[in-house]
Amino acid sequence: MKLNRRGFLGATAGAAAAASLSAPMVHAAGHGKPKVVVIGGGAGGATAARYIAKDSKGEIEVTLVEPTRTYYTCFFSNLYMAGFRDLGSIAHSYGTLAAEYGINVVHDWATGIDREAKTVTLAGGATLNYDRLILSPGIDFVDGAVEGWDISAQNKMPHAYKAGSQSELLKAQIEAMPEGGTFAMVAPPNPFRCPPGPYERISMVAHILKEKNPTAKILIADPKEKFSKMALFQEGWGNHYDGMIDWVGADFGGGNVSVNPHDMTLTIDGDVNKVDVCNVIPAMKAGKICDMAGITEGNWAPVIAHTMQSKVDENIHVLGDASNQGDMPKSGFAANSQAKVAAMAVRSALTGSKLFPAKFTNTCWSLIDTNDGVKVGASYEATDEKIAKVDGFISKTGEDAELRQATFEESVGWYAGITSDMFG
C-alpha cells in the first residue's frame, strides 16, 4: 500500500477516533476539570497531548512540558546529514497545539515527580498537579557504556542521537574530513532507539563521502553479531559503496572498544585506530525523569500493554523509547502508535469514554542511497504479558529500482503524515 500523508492519518486514527464518543464524567466532583500532564514533546508525548485534547473536546485540561521550543525529529535526521533534507524540514514548533487544541505548552524541564501528591516540579519553580501523568522523555545514555567517552565529550565525538545541534555538528565534521580520512562509529548494544538508525547513518555518511571524499573510509565497531536489516544494508553497501565500509562485529572484538577524544583514536580489541570523525552512540536507557519517578526496572520503565500504564503506578503512562513494553522496537512510529492507545485509556479513566482493545503498528524506513529505500514493520496486539507481534514484513534483497524508489517515496509521505499527527 502506498502511504502518503492522508493515508497515514486515516490508517492510524481509527481506534482513537472511535473512542471519541462522549460519556459521563467519572472524575471526582468538586475538582474541576481533570488534569493531564505530558512530559516530553516528541512522537509519543505530542501525539498523546493532541489526541487527549482533541477527543475530550475540552473536558480534560492538558499540559505539555517540553524544554525545547523547536523540536527536531530524530527520524529523517540522517537524511539531513546526507543533504537529502534541510534542517528546517525536520524542525517543528508547538504553536498549533497551543492555539488550536488549547494545550498549555510549558517550555521547561521537569525536575521531580511526587507520585503520592500527584505533582510535577519544574526547573523554573512551578508545580503542576495531575490526575494522570504521561511520560515520553525519550532516551538518555548509560554512564560508562563506552570507555573513554561521557557526555562531556559529545562536542568532540558527537552521538547525534538526539537531533538538532548534534546533527549539525556531526554533518559539519563529516564535510570537513581530510581527503582519504576515516569516519568511525561506535554502535550501541540492544535495545536502543531506532534499530536501523546507525546503519542508515553509515549509508548516508558513505553517500556524502562518495561524492566529496571518495577515498575516505568508514569503520564501524559494533557489539552485536547482527543488526536490523543487516542483509539489506550490506547488499546496499556493496552496490553503492564497495570497499568503503568496514563493519567489525562482536565476533571480531566490536564490543571491546575504547575511545580517546583528545587523541581522536578508537581502539577495537586492542587495535588502535587514528580517526578523523568518531560518532559514539552509547548504550541507552529511559530518560532520567523515569528514574526520578521511581518507575524503572533496570534501564527501562515496564508498562501494561493494554493501556501503556506503568506497572509501578497506575496513574502514570510511559510511551515510546522509555518504555519496556514487549516486542515493538523503539521508534517514532511505535511511540505515535502507543500514544493513541494511552490517550484513549486516559480519556476512558477520566471521562468514562469507551475503551477499545489496544492495537499497534510500526514501520521503519531507511535510505541506503538516492531513491534506494528499504523498510521493516509489523502489527501488534496487547496481551496480559506484553505488546506482542502478530505479523511482519521486510524489504527483500535484490528488489528492482522502481520498488526501492516507491519505498523511499512512501517514507516521505509517512513523515508528512506523522508530523501532522504529532503537531497538528
Side-chain angles (χ1 to χ4, degrees):
M1 178 181 74
K2 185 176 173 98
L3 191 64
N4 54 27
R5 177 178 177 275
R6 185 185 300 272
F8 172 79
L9 295 175
T12 59
S20 66
L21 299 175
S22 60
M25 292 280 288
V26 298
H27 185 62
H31 289 255
K33 288 183 182 180
K35 295 177 172 60
V36 173
V37 174
V38 182
I39 297 177
T47 303
R50 178 174 172 264
Y51 271 77
I52 292 169
K54 173 176 69 74
D55 293 340
S56 70
K57 303 186 187 309
E59 291 185 2
I60 298 174
E61 182 181 311
V62 181
T63 299
L64 175 62
V65 179
E66 165 57 47
T68 62
R69 294 182 179 275
T70 301
Y71 183 84
Y72 295 91
T73 57
C74 283
F75 43 96
F76 274 41
S77 64
N78 288 332
L79 276 63
Y80 155 70
M81 290 184 205
F84 288 104
R85 308 277 293 205
D86 61 46
L87 192 64
S89 75
I90 63 168
H92 304 273
S93 74
Y94 297 91
T96 300
L97 293 182
E100 295 190 13
Y101 297 94
I103 296 167
N104 179 29
V105 180
V106 178
H107 293 296
D108 203 347
W109 290 95
T111 56
I113 294 171
D114 185 331
R115 287 169 31 207
E116 185 174 347
K118 295 167 94 170
T119 59
V120 175
T121 304
L122 303 181
T127 299
L128 304 174
N129 299 309
Y130 68 82
D131 294 290
R132 286 293 172 106
L133 175 64
I134 296 177
L135 298 182
S136 190
I139 53 100
D140 276 314
F141 301 118
V142 175
D143 292 338
V146 177
E147 183 181 346
W149 191 95
D150 60 29
I151 201 67
S152 68
Q154 67 178 342
N155 289 336
K156 189 76 170 174
M157 292 183 168
H159 56 80
Y161 238 63
K162 296 179 181 181
S165 60
Q166 278 276 297
S167 307
E168 290 182 283
L169 175 61
L170 186 57
K171 178 179 173 68
Q173 289 183 351
I174 296 164
E175 292 178 343
M177 280 175 56
E179 184 176 351
T182 298
F183 173 94
M185 173 186 283
V186 178
N190 292 323
F192 62 95
R193 164 184 281 175
C194 189
Y199 312 99
E200 180 187 59
R201 179 171 295 172
I202 290 296
S203 305
M204 296 296 92
V205 172
H207 174 84
I208 300 170
L209 295 178
K210 183 179 178 181
E211 289 186 346
K212 298 184 176 181
N213 193 348
T215 59
K217 299 294 182 184
I218 296 174
L219 175 63
I220 312 162
D222 200 329
K224 303 180 291 297
E225 294 181 0
K226 58 183 180 179
F227 55 84
S228 177
K229 304 179 192 166
M230 185 170 181
L232 294 166
F233 280 114
Q234 291 187 332
E235 176 193 55
W237 295 345
N239 289 340
H240 301 294
Y241 317 115
D242 189 32
M244 181 180 281
I245 301 169
D246 184 14
W247 178 75
V248 181
D251 290 346
F252 295 93
N256 181 22
V257 302
S258 64
V259 297
N260 186 322
H262 181 266
D263 294 337
M264 285 304 292
T265 58
L266 166 62
T267 301
I268 305 175
D269 205 24
D271 181 22
V272 180
N273 300 272
K274 181 72 174 174
V275 301
D276 299 287
V277 177
C278 192
N279 176 204
V280 178
I281 309 175
M284 300 175 197
K285 62 181 180 179
K288 64 182 178 180
I289 195 66
C290 293
D291 271 338
M292 292 179 182
I295 59 167
T296 55
E297 291 180 6
N299 287 335
W300 310 102
V303 296
I304 298 166
H306 297 284
T307 58
M308 301 303 295
Q309 283 170 287
S310 164
K311 289 186 176 180
V312 177
D313 188 329
E314 65 178 4
N315 295 308
I316 298 177
H317 302 249
V318 188
L319 308 178
D321 298 341
S323 66
N324 179 3
Q325 38 68 16
D327 294 345
M328 293 191 87
K330 298 181 184 298
S331 75
F333 199 137
N336 173 267
S337 182
Q338 293 162 17
K340 294 169 187 176
V341 169
M344 181 173 59
V346 166
R347 288 191 302 102
S348 177
L350 297 182
T351 70
S353 61
K354 187 170 181 179
L355 184 64
F356 292 88
K359 294 186 188 238
F360 308 87
T361 57
N362 179 68
T363 303
C364 291
W365 289 268
S366 301
L367 188 61
I368 298 175
D369 197 8
T370 305
N371 289 326
D372 189 356
V374 294
K375 64 181 177 179
V376 62
S379 60
Y380 306 82
E381 66 182 8
T383 70
D384 291 341
E385 178 187 358
K386 64 178 182 178
I387 295 179
K389 182 177 178 180
V390 176
D391 54 39
F393 57 87
I394 187 169
S395 297
K396 295 178 174 57
T397 57
E399 291 175 336
D400 62 37
E402 184 178 1
L403 177 55
R404 291 294 180 85
Q405 180 172 345
T407 299
F408 169 64
E409 291 172 353
E410 182 183 71
S411 75
V412 174
W414 167 80
Y415 186 90
I418 191 173
T419 52
S420 176
D421 208 34
M422 291 163 60
F423 300 107

